[in-house]
Amino acid sequence: MIWIPITVAAAALQVARNAAQRSVMGGAGPWGATLVRFLFGLPFATLFAGHAWALTPGAQAHVSLWFWLACLAGAAAQMGATAAQLVAMQRSTFALGTALQQSGLPFALVWGALVFGDHISAMAWAGGLVATAGLAALTWPRGAVVLRPGAALSGLGAGALFALSANCFRQASLAFDPGHPVASAFVTVMVVQAIQTVALTSVLALRNPQTLRAVLAAWRQSLGAGFCGAAASGLWFTAMTLSPVGPVRAVGVVEMPIAALAGNRLFAERLTLLQVAAGLVTAVGVVMAALG
């Protein structure tokens, strides 16, 4: 059950990374902010991987074809998911795009069980679905909902691709060295971030060089995002090496109700009765998934 506190720590670092990314989005735009987590995270990911490997006696590298295929597929799926999420937000609203993305949780359970053969208990399935329902209610926008053509499909596609990428990363880490999950996870993070850095930097250099310049100009703010992003990814990958992706994703959504409660306590943001109920439902689903 060590994967549970690892997942909670990963979620906390992800919140910090998101905050740092938002600070550079104004000048660099959404794709520039996306590149930040890869480009500035890669040096830290390399440092973390080197230390994890050096501090793990008996670690052995198994660089198989399956490892490379899983890394490439996961990296591509994650970048595709980011693009689909941006489209969903553009064709609806930020809040609705976020709510639609929560479909990634049940998709993670489905991909893991049906495609990769993960054993997931009935309670974990139920917990994932309960957490998804609570999270969707918590993030669903208030007032009128605008859905332009393709918004719902893009949002669901983002959830499916994020879930697929997470399962691919689990497979890559298991293939590299299943006996030493921490070292294997951090090495996998390094390889995946290197692939994504080269791919996205090349695309921006050819199609939008001003965005690339804006990213490089904001290097001071971006270092924090890179550090938190690399650390969060390493912990996510470690948790997903120790447990199927579905339960990990279910426990990871604990950041949403915690963030809502923190906003109420620290910034006097009012919570509606529906939000309070949704937060409680999400918490119940998280507990069920963890115990399953």
Side-chain angles (χ1 to χ4, degrees):
M1 301 292 279
I2 187 64
W3 64 269
I4 296 176
I6 292 174
T7 300
V8 173
L13 283 165
Q14 183 166 290
V15 171
R17 184 206 71 199
N18 290 341
Q21 278 184 291
R22 281 197 292 269
S23 70
V24 301
M25 187 177 290
W31 281 114
T34 301
L35 176 62
V36 161
R37 65 177 290 192
F38 304 138
L39 179 63
F40 291 92
L42 182 57
F44 293 110
T46 304
L47 183 65
F48 295 157
H51 276 78
W53 194 258
L55 296 174
T56 306
Q60 293 183 343
H62 303 284
V63 188
S64 62
L65 178 61
W66 178 242
F67 169 76
W68 284 110
L69 289 175
C71 284
L72 287 167
Q78 191 176 59
M79 289 189 290
T82 301
Q85 184 181 19
L86 292 173
V87 170
M89 291 176 177
Q90 184 183 46
R91 295 183 180 180
S92 55
T93 62
F94 179 84
L96 185 57
T98 301
L100 289 170
Q101 186 205 333
Q102 307 314 324
S103 62
L105 209 167
F107 274 123
L109 291 164
V110 171
W111 286 122
L114 298 185
V115 178
F116 297 106
D118 289 335
H119 173 70
I120 300 172
S121 68
M123 182 178 286
W125 274 103
L129 296 177
V130 169
T132 301
L135 197 57
L138 188 65
T139 57
W140 198 264
R142 302 180 214 174
V145 175
V146 178
L147 270 176
R148 289 191 285 276
L153 186 61
S154 297
L156 294 174
L161 286 171
F162 274 127
L164 177 60
S165 69
N167 275 283
C168 287
F169 298 150
R170 167 174 162 78
Q171 295 301 314
S173 188
L174 286 172
F176 190 79
D177 187 357
H180 301 89
V182 176
S184 184
F186 277 94
V187 170
T188 304
V189 169
M190 178 188 68
V191 172
V192 169
Q193 290 203 342
I195 293 169
Q196 292 168 323
T197 297
V198 171
L200 192 51
T201 300
S202 300
V203 170
L204 289 177
L206 291 173
R207 302 191 60 181
N208 201 349
Q210 63 268 28
T211 295
L212 192 56
R213 287 193 291 269
V215 168
L216 296 176
W219 66 270
R220 287 184 178 86
Q221 304 97 301
S222 301
L223 284 174
F227 173 84
C228 291
S233 295
L235 292 178
W236 280 122
F237 282 32
T238 301
M240 290 187 294
T241 305
L242 295 169
S243 167
V245 174
V248 172
R249 285 291 306 272
V251 172
V253 303
V254 71
E255 69 180 89
M256 298 296 292
I258 290 176
L261 290 173
N264 175 253
R265 297 278 298 188
L266 300 176
F267 306 110
E269 296 175 352
R270 295 184 60 186
L271 294 173
T272 66
L273 288 177
L274 176 60
Q275 287 176 311
V276 172
L280 292 174
V281 169
T282 303
V284 170
V286 167
V287 173
M288 291 173 63
L291 295 178

